[in-house]
Amino acid sequence: MGTKGRAIVGKHAERVIELLNKAFSDEWLAYYQYWIGAKIVAGPMKDAVIAELMQHAADELRHADMVSNRIIQLGGTPVTTPKKWFELTNCGYDEPADPYVKKILEQNISGEQCAIGVYHAVMEEVSSIDPVTYNLALQILQDEVEHEEDLQALQEDLDLMLSRPA
Ligand code: FE
Ligand code: FE
Ligand code: MG
């Protein structure tokens, strides 16, 4: 860990690490929810939806990587067991028990809306104490905003198609 880099966060490091481990748990759960959703999704526009879900899964895994690097920079340890993801998560895990495309989209849109709220709250909390984490949360927030928009655009296309049978 870089000593000066950590010194500027000072006594707040522990709290920032806690916020980051919660976000880290969210990212892994989001990754898996997208990944398994892409495997099982069924219904109209399936191929377009699978492509988007797989892209988002890759983004969530990249977010987990980004967040874990910041935890380590601050002298913390990223959560070392999946069991803890369920204790720390903000947004939880929404099992895709129904593979119908509309249902999967709905679940993942809710997940993105939760993630947007989480990163927005992280930015507010760290804005005056940790500019590096602030910037990290901003980068991830930009992706989550894009994810929500991608999924809602698919949902709109699907609704249009379903309301106008050929
Ligand atoms: Fe993410
Ligand atoms: Fe996302
Ligand atoms: Mg996308």
Side-chain angles (χ1 to χ4, degrees):
M1 107 183 125
T3 49
K4 182 64 177 172
R6 187 165 184 206
I8 61 169
V9 184
K11 63 179 196 295
H12 303 290
E14 211 168 305
R15 172 60 181 159
V16 177
I17 290 164
E18 184 187 1
L19 288 170
L20 291 174
N21 258 323
K22 289 174 72 63
F24 178 75
S25 300
D26 288 334
E27 294 293 357
W28 271 105
L29 292 172
Y31 163 73
Y32 190 72
Q33 192 177 313
Y34 274 123
W35 187 90
I36 195 66
K39 295 289 171 198
I40 65 170
V41 66
M45 290 178 50
K46 187 176 96 147
D47 291 344
V49 171
I50 290 172
E52 200 66 55
L53 298 179
M54 287 306 290
Q55 267 181 27
H56 290 197
D59 288 340
E60 308 309 1
L61 192 56
R62 184 170 49 80
H63 295 162
D65 187 68
M66 292 162 74
V67 171
S68 68
N69 289 338
R70 183 61 186 148
I71 292 169
I72 290 165
Q73 276 180 354
L74 288 167
T77 305
V79 170
T80 49
T81 173
K83 276 185 199 164
K84 269 221 133 181
W85 296 342
F86 292 93
E87 279 170 44
L88 297 180
T89 179
N90 301 289
C91 298
Y93 180 78
D94 203 1
E95 181 189 355
D98 178 352
Y100 185 56
V101 64
K102 266 189 89 128
K103 184 70 196 168
I104 299 266
L105 285 174
E106 259 173 39
Q107 286 176 311
N108 287 310
I109 289 165
S110 303
E112 292 299 342
Q113 290 173 342
C114 181
I116 288 167
V118 166
Y119 285 107
H120 187 239
V122 169
M123 287 178 68
E124 289 197 330
E125 187 168 342
V126 306
S127 65
S128 62
I129 61 178
D130 182 354
V132 178
T133 295
Y134 180 90
N135 182 57
L136 171 73
L138 175 58
Q139 287 178 53
I140 297 176
L141 178 64
Q142 287 172 322
D143 289 342
E144 310 303 13
V145 165
E146 190 180 312
H147 287 171
E148 183 201 30
E149 147 73 16
D150 289 342
L151 297 179
Q152 285 183 332
L154 280 170
Q155 194 181 42
E156 281 165 28
D157 285 354
L158 185 61
D159 286 345
L160 268 176
M161 197 193 76
L162 294 172
S163 67
R164 296 189 184 192

